[in-house]
Amino acid sequence: MPKLPNDVPFPFRGRVVWLTPEQGGRTTGPPRPGESGVYAANAFVPPQTAGSGMASFVLGDFDPSNWATAAAGRWLVVDNAGPYRVQEGTVVVITEGPEPVGYFHVEQAG
């Protein structure tokens, strides 16, 4: 797994809620951050879908022992614009492949 830059700020703050296995989420529970301290996955912002608006998203500052926890997030490559626009109140759908595994509820964006 490539290392992610740690000096890039996380402009989004909020709560991530991981889906349980019974809800179609990860069978191993909430993800563990990699050695860089973050978890990188795919994500989209509704009304986009996994087929129309997927991009790489990074979560950090979350507690991997909890199904719901405070977290920080950012897009890895795309700008925060157009179909990827995140603002206060946005829910970012976190996926592994095309399947949702969590929801990042944005409380602060800046």
Side-chain angles (χ1 to χ4, degrees):
M1 173 180 256
K3 292 190 177 186
L4 301 173
N6 287 329
D7 58 348
V8 177
F10 283 75
F12 315 129
R13 299 273 171 191
R15 293 191 59 76
V16 62
V17 178
W18 301 107
L19 298 177
T20 65
E22 296 78 23
Q23 295 169 314
R26 297 168 47 92
T27 59
T28 58
R32 304 276 183 241
E35 68 180 60
S36 60
V38 299
Y39 166 72
N42 294 318
F44 63 88
V45 176
Q48 300 300 313
T49 67
S52 66
M54 186 107 67
S56 295
F57 197 78
V58 181
L59 287 170
D61 298 331
F62 67 92
D63 180 353
S65 66
N66 285 315
W67 290 96
T69 176
R74 66 177 164 91
W75 293 111
L76 183 60
V77 177
V78 299
D79 291 330
N80 186 36
Y84 309 104
R85 178 81 172 128
V86 172
Q87 56 194 11
E88 290 179 16
T90 297
V91 175
V92 179
V93 180
I94 308 299
T95 70
E96 289 187 356
E99 301 302 320
V101 295
Y103 297 95
F104 179 55
H105 300 263
V106 179
E107 298 167 353
Q108 297 175 351

